[in-house]
Amino acid sequence: MTASLLPADDTPGVPGASPGASTAPRLPKYYQVKRQLLELTATLDAGSPVPPERELARSYGTSRTTVRQALAELVIEGRLLRMQGKGTFVAKPKVAQPLELASYTEGMRAHGLHPRHRSLYETLRSAYGIQLAEAEETIETVLADPHDARLLEVDAGLPLLLLSRHAYDVTGQPVEWAQSWYRGDRYKFVTRLRR
């Protein structure tokens, strides 16, 4: 590994500054470690191992508990991946999911995947002459229940993103009501706003 580990007491952006030299509020120790871990992992490829907690604690001059808290937040954010018995690794970047009026199949195709079932929206259009015109979509956080956790391969109680969609055809008639659950550690949503 070519990245260097700096002690957590160094004030970011102020070389040689003493801990009490700044008038800005002092950051919690775990957050300082978290920021330094982000700098470290930015130099590593996805799938690269992160040094063990003991080594990080020694390098950052802090306790393993502090390091563990910083690592846990990065795991929850989807920046790191923990594999029991193997260690902690740099996670793959999140999938950017655009918010647009597209079916699940169309969305998967946009990510280069090849689903076998036909698109619902294509079927509505070709078989029934129904053209979707608009939709209202809400996004909220929910906690994974045991069933969803098993399907999404996460721990029960982990925050998920729930998207609920009501789609309407060109006459204003409701055509679709759908809910989709996404892992917050794997997906981010992107939309373009215009004025």
Side-chain angles (χ1 to χ4, degrees), residues 3-110:
S4 64
L5 303 175
L6 299 174
D9 287 337
D10 287 352
T11 304
V14 186
S18 63
S22 174
T23 58
R26 187 162 168 82
L27 294 173
K29 186 80 164 186
Y30 87 91
Y31 192 78
Q32 293 174 37
V33 172
K34 178 182 171 184
R35 286 174 46 175
Q36 290 181 312
L37 284 169
L38 283 171
E39 291 175 14
L40 170 66
T41 58
T43 66
L44 303 172
D45 293 329
S48 297
V50 174
E53 289 176 3
R54 186 180 312 265
E55 182 181 332
L56 292 170
R58 185 178 65 251
S59 297
Y60 294 145
T62 190
S63 70
R64 286 178 65 186
T65 303
T66 300
V67 169
R68 196 172 293 127
Q69 184 177 5
L71 289 171
E73 281 200 11
L74 293 172
V75 169
I76 289 171
E77 291 173 9
R79 297 172 187 268
L80 297 178
L81 175 65
R82 270 206 176 126
M83 299 178 73
Q84 191 165 358
K86 294 186 179 182
T88 304
F89 301 86
V90 178
K92 293 178 185 175
K94 292 184 179 186
V95 175
Q97 179 73 29
L99 293 175
E100 58 189 2
L101 188 52
S103 71
Y104 170 81
T105 304
E106 293 165 343
M108 293 301 102
R109 287 179 186 154

Side-chain angles (χ1 to χ4, degrees), residues 43-188:
T43 66
L44 303 172
D45 293 329
S48 297
V50 174
E53 289 176 3
R54 186 180 312 265
E55 182 181 332
L56 292 170
R58 185 178 65 251
S59 297
Y60 294 145
T62 190
S63 70
R64 286 178 65 186
T65 303
T66 300
V67 169
R68 196 172 293 127
Q69 184 177 5
L71 289 171
E73 281 200 11
L74 293 172
V75 169
I76 289 171
E77 291 173 9
R79 297 172 187 268
L80 297 178
L81 175 65
R82 270 206 176 126
M83 299 178 73
Q84 191 165 358
K86 294 186 179 182
T88 304
F89 301 86
V90 178
K92 293 178 185 175
K94 292 184 179 186
V95 175
Q97 179 73 29
L99 293 175
E100 58 189 2
L101 188 52
S103 71
Y104 170 81
T105 304
E106 293 165 343
M108 293 301 102
R109 287 179 186 154
H111 288 295
L113 302 173
H114 305 286
R116 287 184 267 170
H117 56 298
R118 190 171 173 189
S119 162
L120 170 64
Y121 292 0
E122 288 173 8
T123 302
L124 289 171
R125 185 176 47 252
S126 64
Y128 302 100
I130 296 173
Q131 185 76 19
L132 273 80
E134 64 180 4
E136 179 178 292
E137 195 159 59
T138 61
I139 305 171
E140 59 185 306
T141 56
V142 295
L143 301 179
D145 63 27
H147 177 259
D148 294 334
R150 188 174 67 260
L151 292 174
L152 295 173
E153 300 177 348
V154 298
D155 293 332
L158 189 78
L160 301 175
L161 296 170
L162 171 61
L163 274 71
S164 300
R165 175 185 290 180
H166 296 265
Y168 304 89
D169 67 11
V170 293
T171 67
Q173 290 296 313
V175 175
E176 176 195 35
W177 180 77
Q179 289 189 310
S180 303
W181 287 260
Y182 292 85
R183 289 177 54 161
D185 63 338
R186 296 236 181 118
Y187 284 87
K188 63 182 178 181

